[in-house]
Amino acid sequence: MDISQFRYALGTTNAAKKLAVVQATGAEPACLSVPSGVSDQPLSEEETVQGAINRAKAVLAQMPGNDIGLGLEGGLMYDDCFTQQWYLISICAAWNGESLYVGKGLSFPIPRQAAERIVREGIELRTVIDEWGNTTGSNQQGGAYALLTDGRIKRADVFEQAVTAAITPFVSAFYQ
């Protein structure tokens, strides 16, 4: 299974997301910032997936010399069934002009006080993480995952899982 055989277009210039694609594929993606068409801070799995799909389709349309468009979107979802807790999710949509696949990375609980501020103030998780970590641009680096796990998990690692899941159907004989 040679996933480095494709030319990838990534619908963002975010450094952590670009690193995730490189780690997952071994290939350097062509990057272009395209709109997600959803909220800056998606607050459901559906909205997060839609944002990833929108990015994947838009970037491939705008960079047609590539084989697969990738849209990576981070968002929050609330589990009202089991834990009554907010979770950070990382989604990758992969689109080749004919087939669409969605991969998901680790689902990670976020502190209640962060979720409450995001919902109440209409801010992004990165704003809270930048404040707590006394930094700027945390979403371009290790993100919430790195701050909350003391560096054991990084944003690129979680998106790497999502990218691998989304592109596997394009290369695995089991999907043919």
Side-chain angles (χ1 to χ4, degrees), residues 34 61 77 87 118 131 157 168:
V34 296
M77 61 170 273
Y87 289 84
I118 292 163
E131 288 174 11
D157 301 333
T168 294

Side-chain angles (χ1 to χ4, degrees), residues 117 121 123 126-135 138 147:
R117 276 196 63 202
E121 298 174 28
I123 59 175
R126 71 175 165 169
T127 302
V128 176
I129 297 305
D130 281 348
E131 288 174 11
W132 289 0
N134 196 28
T135 186
S138 59
L147 181 68

Side-chain angles (χ1 to χ4, degrees), residues 52-135:
I53 291 170
N54 292 348
R55 287 184 194 272
K57 288 184 174 183
V59 75
L60 191 62
Q62 292 182 40
M63 302 182 87
N66 291 282
D67 301 310
I68 297 175
L70 299 174
L72 278 66
E73 193 74 22
L76 301 176
M77 61 170 273
Y78 186 74
D79 173 19
D80 60 357
C81 187
F82 300 106
T83 64
Q84 291 70 53
Q85 174 67 43
W86 283 94
Y87 289 84
L88 174 58
I89 57 174
S90 300
I91 306 293
C92 176
W95 168 248
N96 71 353
E98 295 178 12
S99 298
L100 173 70
Y101 297 102
V102 172
K104 301 175 182 179
L106 172 71
S107 177
F108 195 93
I110 65 167
R112 288 191 194 280
Q113 61 269 34
E116 289 168 359
R117 276 196 63 202
I118 292 163
V119 172
R120 182 179 65 246
E121 298 174 28
I123 59 175
E124 293 182 57
L125 176 59
R126 71 175 165 169
T127 302
V128 176
I129 297 305
D130 281 348
E131 288 174 11
W132 289 0
N134 196 28
T135 186

